Amino acid sequence: MSSILSVATFIKNKLYLSSLANIAFSVVRIVVMVACFALFPTYVMFVGLATCLAQIILAALNYLFTVRLTPELRIDRKAISLRATWTMLASGIWNTVIKLQQILQNGLSLLIANLAISPLHMGYLSIAQVVPNALVNLIGTISGLFSPEQTKLYAQKHHDALLGELKAGMRITGLFTNIIVVTLLINGSAFIALWQPGQNTRMIYLLMMLTMSGFFFTGIASTLQAVPLLVNKLRNYSLSWLACGVLSLAATLVCVKCFNWGIYAVAAIPQFVDIFANVTFVPVYAALCLRLPWSKFYCVYAQYLVSTILAAALGSLANTMLSIPQSNWIGLLTSCAITALLTLASDLLLLLGKRERTMILRKLMRRSRP
């Protein structure tokens, strides 16, 4: 019921305030859970209680932002349109279809691992999914920062500017995704060994990279995934993704039961379906929605892939030549920093255009001023 209050930060293009509210939500939730589990006998209801209290804080902050940012918004009965209400309701229904696809494709992986393989392997998979799930949240946050401006440009029919904004969103979201994926590709095994000592490091690392492989292309495609909502052409888009979810679930069960691929099938199959959809369907559908040539966005895909290959090669070479010991957190963080800097340099050279470099430089200069 309180989600409508988050619209004000979108309208005024101040989404950083929403991010601060979400941070407050997470802090309150953690503090309440820690306090309850520390002071009282253990009950699982503490998790729900913490989430409920955190949601109240989130709603209060969003209400405060709404009052401060959009005091001119008032309910006017004369402005109520049943036709517009139905249009929004229909869009919401198709969005729930996409959520169903996400459940079928990725949300059932731990359940399948538990019932079809073993609780131990489910535990390994849950550990492997921690970083990829955090990456998904990061991708959603970064790509969402471009949505207000994209909505404004589309409403004003500034199609050339909208195209430039979409490509900028793809490149900058891809930049952050690339840094994390390449850094974990080079240093992930040492990270797992330090984070989960005594566990099956190799299995967890492979499961993590398999899970992250699908999110690799999600990083650059997430901006385009918002285009059908932008132009309100969600039916075919939602049904196509739902078909991907059904295909992913069926293929995973077949590979686990018939081919004995085990836990690796649970981690890999949904991501392979995700890669296929994000590479073949998403950019083409986004281009057609905007009445552009179907191949319009593939140049950014090519730049992204070439930059990733170069960054992975440079990171692997630096890791071999420098031979930084990764048996402790200081050595691991040093190695990760070097890989991240090399990936950043590769992306600045091959992925980002002049517009994106200028945008980042201006942001950095603005933050450095006293």
Side-chain angles (χ1 to χ4, degrees), residues 119-348:
L120 176 63
H121 287 89
M122 182 200 72
Y124 287 150
L125 182 60
S126 65
I127 295 172
Q129 288 181 344
V130 170
V131 176
N133 288 339
L135 178 59
V136 171
N137 294 330
L138 176 65
I139 291 172
T141 300
I142 296 173
S143 62
L145 295 176
F146 296 89
S147 295
E149 187 65 21
Q150 291 166 7
T151 305
K152 177 182 176 182
L153 293 172
Y154 179 74
Q156 296 175 344
K157 298 183 180 181
H158 295 161
H159 299 301
D160 291 338
L162 174 60
L163 178 61
E165 191 71 14
L166 287 171
K167 289 186 175 181
M170 292 173 66
R171 290 188 172 107
I172 292 179
T173 308
L175 167 70
F176 285 93
T177 306
N178 221 1
I179 290 174
I180 296 174
V181 171
V182 173
T183 300
L184 286 175
L185 177 65
I186 303 300
N187 307 284
S189 182
F191 167 67
I192 296 296
L194 288 173
W195 179 37
Q196 297 289 330
Q199 302 292 343
N200 191 333
T201 302
R202 176 176 172 78
M203 176 176 285
I204 296 175
Y205 171 72
L206 289 175
L207 291 174
M208 181 176 69
M209 296 315 301
L210 285 172
T211 304
M212 194 166 287
S213 62
F215 301 142
F216 170 69
F217 279 105
T218 301
I220 197 169
S222 59
T223 301
L224 299 180
Q225 290 173 1
V227 171
L229 177 61
L230 183 67
V231 302
N232 197 23
K233 294 182 179 180
L234 286 168
R235 187 184 65 176
N236 294 334
Y237 181 76
S238 301
L239 292 176
S240 299
W241 271 114
L242 181 60
C244 289
V246 173
L247 174 64
S248 172
L249 178 61
T252 301
L253 293 175
V254 169
C255 290
V256 169
K257 290 294 186 179
C258 300
F259 296 99
N260 198 27
W261 291 2
I263 192 65
Y264 296 109
V266 179
I269 298 299
Q271 308 313 321
F272 290 162
V273 173
D274 217 35
I275 291 172
F276 179 79
N278 281 319
V279 172
T280 60
F281 169 65
V282 170
V284 173
Y285 192 82
L288 295 179
C289 285
L290 298 172
R291 298 181 181 180
L292 297 170
W294 65 270
S295 59
K296 192 67 177 180
F297 297 106
Y298 277 108
C299 59
V300 183
Y301 273 74
Q303 292 172 324
Y304 181 61
L305 190 58
V306 172
S307 178
T308 303
I309 294 172
L310 176 61
L314 292 175
S316 180
L317 181 62
N319 202 31
T320 302
M321 293 181 63
L322 296 176
S323 299
I324 299 175
Q326 299 184 3
S327 56
N328 55 69
W329 286 104
I330 295 177
L332 175 63
L333 292 175
T334 302
S335 182
C336 288
I338 294 172
T339 307
L341 289 173
L342 290 172
T343 306
L344 176 61
S346 176
D347 285 348
L348 288 173

Side-chain angles (χ1 to χ4, degrees), residues 11-26:
I11 294 173
K12 296 297 183 178
N13 200 6
K14 293 184 179 294
L15 291 178
Y16 69 92
L17 293 175
S18 291
S19 298
L20 292 176
N22 289 328
I23 291 173
F25 170 88
S26 299

